[in-house]
Amino acid sequence: MLQNWVVMPTCLPTVLRRCHTCTSGRFRANGKFRVNANHKLIDAWLLVLCTECGDTVKLTVLERVNVRSVRPALLDRMHNNDPALAAELLQDPVLLRRNRVALDWESAWRLDTGGPDSPDREVIDVSVRFAARIPVRPVRLIAEGCGLPRAEVERLITDGSLVSAVRLTGKLSGDFSFLLKRPGGRTPDLAPAEDC
């Protein structure tokens, strides 16, 4: 029986950027926007606050864009300081590159396994879905979801008891699945894992 796990955000991630006021390099988004119109052109920013001194930095969302080319629903969401829009924008790689920032998802996500695993099953077939683009090590997810130490998960990968169509080393932020064969079980044959 296939189990479905979901990696879910619990809050907005920390924005990594050097503060010009203090020595901190961490900012917290709270879903606030600033919109400025100049005749037919509009600028919009997502505001982030330094976690140490509270200094505000503006992450550019729109820059000198013709107001007619912006969807009214998007403008309404920015004017209403929609936190869901802030979460969507922080997932946008173009916005992150344009503003030269990175995200730290530590303590901003959780793994929902749908309940406790059945300990008597010999083969566990799991599909992992990401509700947001959160980079996480699969070894960490599997260890947490199965209640195993990470070293044990790495040993299971090495000896072929834990298999997947994707590499389980490094970080992933996209959906994947895996099979875990417990002692006495038989793992179905899979195509060999491809390099990412």
Side-chain angles (χ1 to χ4, degrees), residues 138-149:
V139 169
R140 178 179 178 183
L141 290 177
I142 296 167
E144 184 177 322
C146 294
L148 298 170

mmCIF file with all atom_site columns, all heavy atoms in Angstrom, residues 138-149:
data_model
loop_
_atom_site.group_PDB
_atom_site.id
_atom_site.type_symbol
_atom_site.label_atom_id
_atom_site.label_alt_id
_atom_site.label_comp_id
_atom_site.label_asym_id
_atom_site.label_entity_id
_atom_site.label_seq_id
_atom_site.pdbx_PDB_ins_code
_atom_site.Cartn_x
_atom_site.Cartn_y
_atom_site.Cartn_z
_atom_site.occupancy
_atom_site.B_iso_or_equiv
_atom_site.pdbx_formal_charge
_atom_site.auth_seq_id
_atom_site.auth_comp_id
_atom_site.auth_asym_id
_atom_site.auth_atom_id
_atom_site.pdbx_PDB_model_num
ATOM 1  N N   . PRO A 1 138 ? 16.688 14.157 1.379  1.00 0.00 ? 138 PRO A N   1
ATOM 2  C CA  . PRO A 1 138 ? 15.805 12.995 1.488  1.00 0.00 ? 138 PRO A CA  1
ATOM 3  C C   . PRO A 1 138 ? 16.155 12.094 2.666  1.00 0.00 ? 138 PRO A C   1
ATOM 4  O O   . PRO A 1 138 ? 15.272 11.528 3.303  1.00 0.00 ? 138 PRO A O   1
ATOM 5  C CB  . PRO A 1 138 ? 15.999 12.265 0.159  1.00 0.00 ? 138 PRO A CB  1
ATOM 6  C CG  . PRO A 1 138 ? 16.457 13.315 -0.788 1.00 0.00 ? 138 PRO A CG  1
ATOM 7  C CD  . PRO A 1 138 ? 17.261 14.276 0.033  1.00 0.00 ? 138 PRO A CD  1
ATOM 8  N N   . VAL A 1 139 ? 17.455 11.973 2.965  1.00 0.00 ? 139 VAL A N   1
ATOM 9  C CA  . VAL A 1 139 ? 17.870 11.142 4.103  1.00 0.00 ? 139 VAL A CA  1
ATOM 10 C C   . VAL A 1 139 ? 17.227 11.658 5.388  1.00 0.00 ? 139 VAL A C   1
ATOM 11 O O   . VAL A 1 139 ? 16.743 10.876 6.212  1.00 0.00 ? 139 VAL A O   1
ATOM 12 C CB  . VAL A 1 139 ? 19.413 11.110 4.218  1.00 0.00 ? 139 VAL A CB  1
ATOM 13 C CG1 . VAL A 1 139 ? 19.857 10.491 5.530  1.00 0.00 ? 139 VAL A CG1 1
ATOM 14 C CG2 . VAL A 1 139 ? 20.014 10.344 3.044  1.00 0.00 ? 139 VAL A CG2 1
ATOM 15 N N   . ARG A 1 140 ? 17.188 12.969 5.543  1.00 0.00 ? 140 ARG A N   1
ATOM 16 C CA  . ARG A 1 140 ? 16.564 13.561 6.730  1.00 0.00 ? 140 ARG A CA  1
ATOM 17 C C   . ARG A 1 140 ? 15.065 13.266 6.772  1.00 0.00 ? 140 ARG A C   1
ATOM 18 O O   . ARG A 1 140 ? 14.511 12.918 7.811  1.00 0.00 ? 140 ARG A O   1
ATOM 19 C CB  . ARG A 1 140 ? 16.811 15.069 6.741  1.00 0.00 ? 140 ARG A CB  1
ATOM 20 C CG  . ARG A 1 140 ? 16.169 15.781 7.905  1.00 0.00 ? 140 ARG A CG  1
ATOM 21 C CD  . ARG A 1 140 ? 16.451 17.259 7.882  1.00 0.00 ? 140 ARG A CD  1
ATOM 22 N NE  . ARG A 1 140 ? 15.784 17.928 8.991  1.00 0.00 ? 140 ARG A NE  1
ATOM 23 C CZ  . ARG A 1 140 ? 15.799 19.231 9.183  1.00 0.00 ? 140 ARG A CZ  1
ATOM 24 N NH1 . ARG A 1 140 ? 16.461 20.010 8.353  1.00 0.00 ? 140 ARG A NH1 1
ATOM 25 N NH2 . ARG A 1 140 ? 15.170 19.765 10.197 1.00 0.00 ? 140 ARG A NH2 1
ATOM 26 N N   . LEU A 1 141 ? 14.383 13.418 5.622  1.00 0.00 ? 141 LEU A N   1
ATOM 27 C CA  . LEU A 1 141 ? 12.944 13.148 5.572  1.00 0.00 ? 141 LEU A CA  1
ATOM 28 C C   . LEU A 1 141 ? 12.638 11.695 5.903  1.00 0.00 ? 141 LEU A C   1
ATOM 29 O O   . LEU A 1 141 ? 11.724 11.403 6.678  1.00 0.00 ? 141 LEU A O   1
ATOM 30 C CB  . LEU A 1 141 ? 12.396 13.468 4.180  1.00 0.00 ? 141 LEU A CB  1
ATOM 31 C CG  . LEU A 1 141 ? 12.317 14.916 3.754  1.00 0.00 ? 141 LEU A CG  1
ATOM 32 C CD1 . LEU A 1 141 ? 11.814 14.999 2.325  1.00 0.00 ? 141 LEU A CD1 1
ATOM 33 C CD2 . LEU A 1 141 ? 11.429 15.707 4.685  1.00 0.00 ? 141 LEU A CD2 1
ATOM 34 N N   . ILE A 1 142 ? 13.397 10.786 5.298  1.00 0.00 ? 142 ILE A N   1
ATOM 35 C CA  . ILE A 1 142 ? 13.149 9.356  5.514  1.00 0.00 ? 142 ILE A CA  1
ATOM 36 C C   . ILE A 1 142 ? 13.432 8.990  6.963  1.00 0.00 ? 142 ILE A C   1
ATOM 37 O O   . ILE A 1 142 ? 12.670 8.244  7.581  1.00 0.00 ? 142 ILE A O   1
ATOM 38 C CB  . ILE A 1 142 ? 13.981 8.518  4.522  1.00 0.00 ? 142 ILE A CB  1
ATOM 39 C CG1 . ILE A 1 142 ? 13.509 8.805  3.081  1.00 0.00 ? 142 ILE A CG1 1
ATOM 40 C CG2 . ILE A 1 142 ? 13.882 7.032  4.848  1.00 0.00 ? 142 ILE A CG2 1
ATOM 41 C CD1 . ILE A 1 142 ? 14.447 8.295  2.001  1.00 0.00 ? 142 ILE A CD1 1
ATOM 42 N N   . ALA A 1 143 ? 14.511 9.533  7.515  1.00 0.00 ? 143 ALA A N   1
ATOM 43 C CA  . ALA A 1 143 ? 14.837 9.256  8.918  1.00 0.00 ? 143 ALA A CA  1
ATOM 44 C C   . ALA A 1 143 ? 13.719 9.741  9.836  1.00 0.00 ? 143 ALA A C   1
ATOM 45 O O   . ALA A 1 143 ? 13.261 9.011  10.725 1.00 0.00 ? 143 ALA A O   1
ATOM 46 C CB  . ALA A 1 143 ? 16.163 9.925  9.286  1.00 0.00 ? 143 ALA A CB  1
ATOM 47 N N   . GLU A 1 144 ? 13.243 10.960 9.586  1.00 0.00 ? 144 GLU A N   1
ATOM 48 C CA  . GLU A 1 144 ? 12.175 11.522 10.414 1.00 0.00 ? 144 GLU A CA  1
ATOM 49 C C   . GLU A 1 144 ? 10.868 10.750 10.233 1.00 0.00 ? 144 GLU A C   1
ATOM 50 O O   . GLU A 1 144 ? 10.189 10.418 11.202 1.00 0.00 ? 144 GLU A O   1
ATOM 51 C CB  . GLU A 1 144 ? 11.975 12.994 10.062 1.00 0.00 ? 144 GLU A CB  1
ATOM 52 C CG  . GLU A 1 144 ? 10.959 13.696 10.925 1.00 0.00 ? 144 GLU A CG  1
ATOM 53 C CD  . GLU A 1 144 ? 10.824 15.174 10.599 1.00 0.00 ? 144 GLU A CD  1
ATOM 54 O OE1 . GLU A 1 144 ? 11.850 15.823 10.305 1.00 0.00 ? 144 GLU A OE1 1
ATOM 55 O OE2 . GLU A 1 144 ? 9.687  15.676 10.634 1.00 0.00 ? 144 GLU A OE2 1
ATOM 56 N N   . GLY A 1 145 ? 10.522 10.455 8.991  1.00 0.00 ? 145 GLY A N   1
ATOM 57 C CA  . GLY A 1 145 ? 9.258  9.778  8.712  1.00 0.00 ? 145 GLY A CA  1
ATOM 58 C C   . GLY A 1 145 ? 9.208  8.342  9.193  1.00 0.00 ? 145 GLY A C   1
ATOM 59 O O   . GLY A 1 145 ? 8.147  7.848  9.576  1.00 0.00 ? 145 GLY A O   1
ATOM 60 N N   . CYS A 1 146 ? 10.357 7.656  9.176  1.00 0.00 ? 146 CYS A N   1
ATOM 61 C CA  . CYS A 1 146 ? 10.398 6.251  9.589  1.00 0.00 ? 146 CYS A CA  1
ATOM 62 C C   . CYS A 1 146 ? 10.888 6.068  11.016 1.00 0.00 ? 146 CYS A C   1
ATOM 63 O O   . CYS A 1 146 ? 10.948 4.933  11.501 1.00 0.00 ? 146 CYS A O   1
ATOM 64 C CB  . CYS A 1 146 ? 11.300 5.460  8.641  1.00 0.00 ? 146 CYS A CB  1
ATOM 65 S SG  . CYS A 1 146 ? 10.662 5.341  6.962  1.00 0.00 ? 146 CYS A SG  1
ATOM 66 N N   . GLY A 1 147 ? 11.281 7.166  11.668 1.00 0.00 ? 147 GLY A N   1
ATOM 67 C CA  . GLY A 1 147 ? 11.778 7.069  13.037 1.00 0.00 ? 147 GLY A CA  1
ATOM 68 C C   . GLY A 1 147 ? 13.113 6.354  13.132 1.00 0.00 ? 147 GLY A C   1
ATOM 69 O O   . GLY A 1 147 ? 13.355 5.592  14.065 1.00 0.00 ? 147 GLY A O   1
ATOM 70 N N   . LEU A 1 148 ? 13.990 6.603  12.167 1.00 0.00 ? 148 LEU A N   1
ATOM 71 C CA  . LEU A 1 148 ? 15.310 5.970  12.131 1.00 0.00 ? 148 LEU A CA  1
ATOM 72 C C   . LEU A 1 148 ? 16.397 7.028  12.266 1.00 0.00 ? 148 LEU A C   1
ATOM 73 O O   . LEU A 1 148 ? 16.204 8.172  11.864 1.00 0.00 ? 148 LEU A O   1
ATOM 74 C CB  . LEU A 1 148 ? 15.511 5.242  10.797 1.00 0.00 ? 148 LEU A CB  1
ATOM 75 C CG  . LEU A 1 148 ? 14.567 4.099  10.462 1.00 0.00 ? 148 LEU A CG  1
ATOM 76 C CD1 . LEU A 1 148 ? 14.771 3.674  9.010  1.00 0.00 ? 148 LEU A CD1 1
ATOM 77 C CD2 . LEU A 1 148 ? 14.802 2.943  11.400 1.00 0.00 ? 148 LEU A CD2 1
ATOM 78 N N   . PRO A 1 149 ? 17.570 6.640  12.778 1.00 0.00 ? 149 PRO A N   1
ATOM 79 C CA  . PRO A 1 149 ? 18.708 7.567  12.754 1.00 0.00 ? 149 PRO A CA  1
ATOM 80 C C   . PRO A 1 149 ? 19.164 7.776  11.300 1.00 0.00 ? 149 PRO A C   1
ATOM 81 O O   . PRO A 1 149 ? 19.030 6.875  10.459 1.00 0.00 ? 149 PRO A O   1
ATOM 82 C CB  . PRO A 1 149 ? 19.798 6.853  13.554 1.00 0.00 ? 149 PRO A CB  1
ATOM 83 C CG  . PRO A 1 149 ? 19.132 5.712  14.242 1.00 0.00 ? 149 PRO A CG  1
ATOM 84 C CD  . PRO A 1 149 ? 17.874 5.402  13.486 1.00 0.00 ? 149 PRO A CD  1
#
